[in-house]
Every structure is written in structure tokens, then in C-alpha cells.
Amino acid sequence: MIYQLYKNLLKMYGKQNWWPVSGKFKSDFDEVAIGAVLTQNTNWNNVEKALKNLIDTGKTSLEDILQSSDEELYKIIKPAGFYRQKTKTLKNLAAFIEKESVENLNRDKLLSVKGIGEETADTIALYGLNQLEFVVDKYTKRLLFRLGLLKSENEKYFNVKQLMEKNLPPDIEVYKEFHALIVEHGKRYCRKNPLCDDCPLKDKCYNS
DNA sequence: AGCCAGGCCAAGC
DNA sequence: GCTTGGCATGGC
């Protein structure tokens, strides 16, 4: 029961209120978009260092990033890892938005930007544009698989996204919180090597 | 001291 | 279509 899982996680961890975090960027959209790219396959702790560097150097928008040299950005976002790729992706996105404008942006258009895949596109659409797109990540697949709700942990992105969206009310806040709660639970217990003994979901879980 | 983190893309079957 | 390797830093 997908929706029940959401309610359980909400009860366990409370509201997450993920984004926007700092409010120190030129717009909420810019903060979400930049954070979403920087966090690709990276610990949020490292992303925070890079975000702080951006704020400290006054680069608080995609436009500012587009104006900066690659070498400068390398230094600034270095703690987030994959800094050459991410510099390129951020500039790709900034350039795309410069001509497309944020108003009629959506998941599909974001996917046309090189460096932005399904999860990042959905993350920006949901948290940055307030569009009803469920975000699927590694933790989501892992948790659903261990709970017995997925056949495989390698299920295709779209299938997992559909499963979630079919079983949830069309509520942006639910989408936002649920994804954040899954990540929180994934960090605490449902890791690659899970901590099942102390896991609050162990009685509902197949894996333990 | 490894292993892992809120992925994505290109290349090779 | 699916699998594999490259990209990189910092925390535990």
C-alpha cells in the first residue's frame, strides 16, 4: 500500500520541507535547479559546501553561472564532486532557460538538456516548478523492492514513477514530502547495507 | 582504508 | 534493448 507507506513515513519522521532551503538564491527555481544538478550521485553534505561557495562568491543564479568561467566554477563547486560535468550541465541548463524562459518549462523540456536525466528533471519540475511529477531515485527503488512492491531493484524509472503516481492523490505536497521522506528513511535505515534491526518498518518488510 | 552518496552519458554488445 | 566504465569529493 503506497499511500499508507507515505503516511507511515510521515508519522515516523515528520515533514521534511526540502526546498527551497536557503532562500539566498536569486529565485527559488534557481536554488532548486542548481541544487538538483549538484546532488547527482552525491551526498547532500558535499552539495552544501558547494552551495555555500556559490553564495559566498555571489553566484546565486543560473545567469551568474553562465557568466562565470569554467575554471572559476570548478573551484567553487569542487566539493560536490564530478565538478567538470556539473559545470557543463549547469551552463547547458542556464543557456536553455535563457532562450526558453522558465514559464513554459516542464519535465520533457528539461530532459532535452544534456546532463539532465529523469530524476533531475522530475526534481526540478516538482520542487522548482511545482508540477505534479513524482521523483524516483535509488532509494525509492531499493525501498519498494525490499518491501515487496517491486519485482526488481532495477525496474525501469518510468514504471516506478507510474506505480507511485497511480497510487497517490494528485497533491504536490504529498509528492514533495514523500520523496524527501524516502530519502530520509534510506539514509537512516534502508541503506545499501540495511540496518534492519532498528528499522521502524521491519514488521512490514520482506527483507528482514 | 574502502565503501558509498538524493545520476548521467557514451560506448559496446 | 541492456551492461559497463568514467566522472570526483568528503564522511564514516
Side-chain angles (χ1 to χ4, degrees):
Chain A
M1 204 60 190
I2 303 282
Y3 193 37
Q4 189 58 46
L5 174 63
Y6 163 71
K7 291 178 185 169
N8 289 337
L9 289 171
L10 184 59
K11 194 172 296 176
M12 285 157 49
Y13 302 123
K15 284 201 72 175
Q16 300 299 300
N17 296 313
W18 252 18
W19 261 318
V21 189
S22 75
K24 288 181 179 167
F25 285 77
K26 189 169 288 179
S27 72
D28 289 348
F29 175 83
D30 287 76
E31 177 170 351
V32 171
I34 292 165
V37 169
L38 291 180
T39 199
Q40 289 172 347
N41 201 39
T42 301
N43 194 310
W44 182 253
N45 199 36
N46 287 4
V47 176
E48 283 186 322
K49 297 178 196 301
L51 292 175
K52 182 177 187 317
N53 289 344
L54 283 167
I55 292 166
D56 289 349
T57 52
K59 303 190 184 309
T60 55
S61 70
L62 286 167
E63 196 185 334
D64 293 336
I65 284 173
L66 196 54
Q67 312 297 335
S68 309
S69 73
D70 287 356
E71 285 66 30
E72 195 177 5
L73 289 170
Y74 289 167
K75 272 188 279 179
I76 292 170
I77 69 167
K78 192 166 205 147
F82 304 118
Y83 55 86
R84 291 187 187 85
Q85 289 189 164
K86 287 173 180 175
T87 291
K88 178 139 288 176
T89 300
L90 287 171
K91 285 192 167 182
N92 290 343
L93 179 59
F96 184 79
I97 283 165
E98 194 173 49
K99 60 177 181 6
E100 285 281 324
S101 91
V102 178
E103 277 69 66
N104 36 24
L105 201 56
N106 60 31
R107 170 182 214 270
D108 279 343
K109 290 185 180 174
L110 287 163
L111 278 176
S112 72
V113 177
K114 191 190 279 187
I116 296 193
E118 299 199 272
E119 180 183 345
T120 309
D122 281 334
T123 302
I124 295 172
L126 177 62
Y127 294 94
L129 301 169
N130 288 302
Q131 295 174 2
L132 200 65
E133 302 284 359
F134 199 87
V135 179
V136 174
D137 69 341
K138 205 185 306 180
Y139 284 131
T140 310
K141 294 183 182 180
R142 188 186 292 160
L143 176 62
L144 294 180
F145 174 65
R146 288 177 176 167
L147 289 172
L149 298 170
L150 278 186
K151 282 180 244 124
S152 154
E153 199 169 337
N154 303 317
E155 193 64 60
K156 290 181 67 171
Y157 187 97
F158 187 72
N159 294 339
V160 184
K161 179 177 167 74
Q162 289 285 85
L163 173 68
M164 298 302 256
E165 293 181 350
K166 253 187 287 184
N167 288 285
L168 291 173
D171 182 336
I172 304 242
E173 286 308 306
V174 172
Y175 278 37
K176 287 183 178 178
E177 286 302 315
F178 198 0
H179 172 63
L181 286 163
I182 289 170
V183 172
E184 183 61 23
H185 182 67
K187 286 182 186 169
R188 293 205 205 190
Y189 300 105
C190 211
R191 307 173 179 183
K192 191 165 196 176
N193 301 307
L195 307 176
C196 296
D197 289 347
D198 302 321
C199 179
L201 293 178
K202 67 175 170 187
D203 54 323
K204 302 172 179 62
C205 190
Y206 222 38
N207 196 56
S208 61

